[in-house]
Amino acid sequence: MCGNNMSVPLPAVVPAARKATAAVIFLHGLGDTGHGWAEAFAGIKSPHVKYICPHAPVIPVSLNMHMAMPSWFDIFGLSPDAPEDEPGIKQATENVKALIDQEVKNGIPSNRIIVGGFSQGGALSLYTALTTHQKLAGVLALSCWLPLRTTFPQGTISGVNKEIPVLQCHGDCDPLVPLLIGSLTVEKLKSMINPANLTFKTYSGMMHSSCIEEMMDVKQFIDKHLPPVD
Ligand SMILES: *[C@@H]1O[C@H](CO)[C@@H](O)[C@H](O)[C@H]1NC(C)=O
């Protein structure tokens, strides 16, 4: 790994309006930063929830002719059988787990934390939820895929998150990560976690982006799985 995390600015944070008893950690897509997503969450925020939108380190990305850009790990290709940056994905997962641990130290138990992300960030959030020993409240997987999917054993995963609630969303006009990838990811996830806890929503006309209807579904998911405790 590049070990240049020191140069990454602190996450964009939308603080809770009162005492934070829950958190959402949301990871942006390739080439983006956390700022736009922090703004989006500010628009749907609940008063007891803290929203944390970290920024990816700037690294050379093979897919983009090795141009340096914010990226959680390297990407070699977009097709389902393209090789994947296994060490990079695993290191990025460790960094997300460390962010979760930091919130736990701040007094928010991990089962009051939803992780999520868009595209590459969504992929990382799914991989983290399926491999961590931290029990999480849910996953928001937007316009994404499951990384290293062939490394998961057949059948239900063991561990704390085998019943984890997942909201997976995808635009049906996505030209970059086609809807088919989203559907295949849903099928794979259904074999790994309790399918009763998985919701798949598609948005008509949506490309590789987000929309208001989707953000309303995101809000509903957060409110359901991170209700106020006091
Ligand atoms: C997952 O679904 C099962 C079956 O509907 C339900 O009993 C369980 O409470 C759900 N788990 C979570 C964490 O929501």
Side-chain angles (χ1 to χ4, degrees), residues 135-137 163-165 194-198 224-225:
K135 188 174 170 64
L136 299 170
E163 296 239 307
I164 191 166
N194 185 343
N197 307 109
L198 174 70
K224 177 172 177 196
H225 296 288

Side-chain angles (χ1 to χ4, degrees), residues 126-140:
L126 271 180
Y127 188 81
T128 302
L130 295 174
T131 57
T132 184
H133 300 298
Q134 300 151 316
K135 188 174 170 64
L136 299 170
V139 183
L140 285 165

Side-chain angles (χ1 to χ4, degrees), residues 18-59:
R18 46 187 169 90
K19 181 177 154 39
T21 59
V24 173
I25 298 175
F26 194 88
L27 311 165
H28 63 73
L30 181 68
D32 197 5
T33 71
H35 294 296
W37 286 104
E39 260 173 55
F41 282 109
I44 60 161
K45 67 184 176 188
S46 302
H48 62 288
V49 181
K50 174 184 182 184
Y51 303 83
I52 302 158
C53 302
H55 313 297
V58 175
I59 61 167

